[in-house]
Amino acid sequence: MEFRIAHLYAHFLNIYGDRGNIITLSQRAKWRDIEVKVDAIDIGQEADPDYYDFYFIGGGQDKQQIVIAEDLVKRATTLKAAVSGGAVVLTVCGGYQLLGHYYRPHEGPELKGISLLDAYTVAGNRRMIGNVVIKRDDNSTLVGFENHSGKTYLGKDVQPLGKIVVGNGNNGEDKSEGACQGTVYGTYLHGSLLPKNPAFADLLLSQALQRRYGAVQLKPLDDSLEAEAHKRALVLPA
Ligand code: GLN
C-alpha cells in the first residue's frame, strides 16, 4: 500500500509546527509498512485530484492567508473533486478558516473561501490563546493549543469536531470546536494536533487509505508515549 499526501502551501501556512501532523501520519503509516509519498504543493502548482489520498493545510497569520487565498479559490474545483473521490482533508486554523465560505480579517478585504466546510469566519476583538481540550461524540478527547482572533460559526451542513472542555474553540461563544463534513476536517488545534491524538491520526489515515484500498484494518501500535502526552495535556491550564 502507498499513502499519498499533498501538503498545500507548506512554506506559507505552517505556524506552530503544523507540519508535525504530516510527520505523524507519515510515521504511523511507515510503522505499518505502508509506503508514504509527501508532495509540497505551492501556489500555482497543480495537484491531480485522482492522485492524492490526503490533503493538509496548516495555520498562518492573516498576511499569509491573504497570499494563498486566491490560489486556493482557483483549486476549489479540483479539491472538491478529490473529496468526492474519497480524499481526506485536514486543515488547521488559518487553513481551516479558508475552507469555509469566507474569512473577514481585521484589516483588508474579505477573503473568499472554497466552501468545503459550511462555515464562515470573522475576526474577533481578542486573541483566543491557550491549551484546549475537546470531547468528541464518541466521548474521546482531543488536546491541542489555540492562537487565533478569528471566530468561526458553523452552518447546518457541518458538525463540530468536538465540544469544548477547556479553552475557546471556534468562537469562544457556542462551545463548539472545529468542523467535520464527510472526510473534510477543520480545527483550531495546533500543537501539532496529531502526535498527542494517535487514535484520531489513525482515523484519518484509515479513511484516506479507504479511497483506493477499501476498508483497512490498521495494526495497533504501542502508543504508550502518545497516551501519556495526551493524559498530561488533559490537565494543562487553559
Ligand atoms: N490569522 C488567523 C487568526 O488569527 C489564523 C491564525 C492561525 O492560523 N493561528 O484567526
Side-chain angles (χ1 to χ4, degrees), residues 143-236:
V143 295
F145 180 87
E146 63 183 334
N147 180 345
H148 57 105
S149 69
K151 300 196 296 181
T152 297
Y153 297 92
L154 303 183
K156 62 179 178 27
D157 294 338
V158 67
Q159 297 300 316
L161 189 61
K163 284 261 169 273
I164 282 290
V165 176
V166 174
N168 296 280
N170 281 326
N171 47 51
E173 297 158 9
D174 62 15
K175 292 286 184 194
S176 71
E177 197 297 315
C180 170
Q181 195 164 338
T183 58
V184 182
Y185 298 87
T187 180
Y188 276 108
L189 298 188
H190 293 288
S192 42
L193 169 69
L194 295 180
K196 293 193 290 289
N197 298 293
F200 186 61
D202 281 353
L203 170 72
L204 298 180
L205 177 58
S206 51
Q207 279 185 350
L209 290 170
Q210 191 163 340
R211 182 178 84 96
R212 285 188 292 140
Y213 302 105
V216 170
Q217 201 58 42
L218 295 173
K219 79 171 181 185
L221 298 173
D222 172 4
D223 284 333
S224 44
L225 209 55
E226 292 84 350
E228 183 58 26
H230 185 102
K231 194 169 130 221
R232 293 181 186 213
L234 284 174
V235 293
L236 290 173

Side-chain angles (χ1 to χ4, degrees), residues 16-27:
Y16 298 113
D18 286 334
R19 71 186 188 87
N21 294 300
I22 304 272
I23 296 170
T24 303
L25 282 174
S26 302
Q27 192 53 55

Side-chain angles (χ1 to χ4, degrees), residues 13 15-16 18 58-63 65 92-95 97 103 121 123 127 146-151 188 190:
L13 294 179
I15 201 166
Y16 298 113
D18 286 334
Q61 307 296 335
D62 287 9
K63 58 179 182 294
Q65 289 173 280
V92 179
C93 206
Q97 294 170 343
Y103 169 45
T121 303
R127 288 205 75 77
E146 63 183 334
N147 180 345
H148 57 105
S149 69
K151 300 196 296 181
Y188 276 108
H190 293 288

Side-chain angles (χ1 to χ4, degrees), residues 25-45:
L25 282 174
S26 302
Q27 192 53 55
R28 294 185 74 82
K30 287 174 190 166
W31 280 329
R32 278 108 169 196
D33 303 320
I34 298 168
E35 279 179 56
V36 178
K37 181 159 169 40
V38 182
D39 289 336
I41 308 285
D42 247 324
I43 292 174
Q45 282 184 317

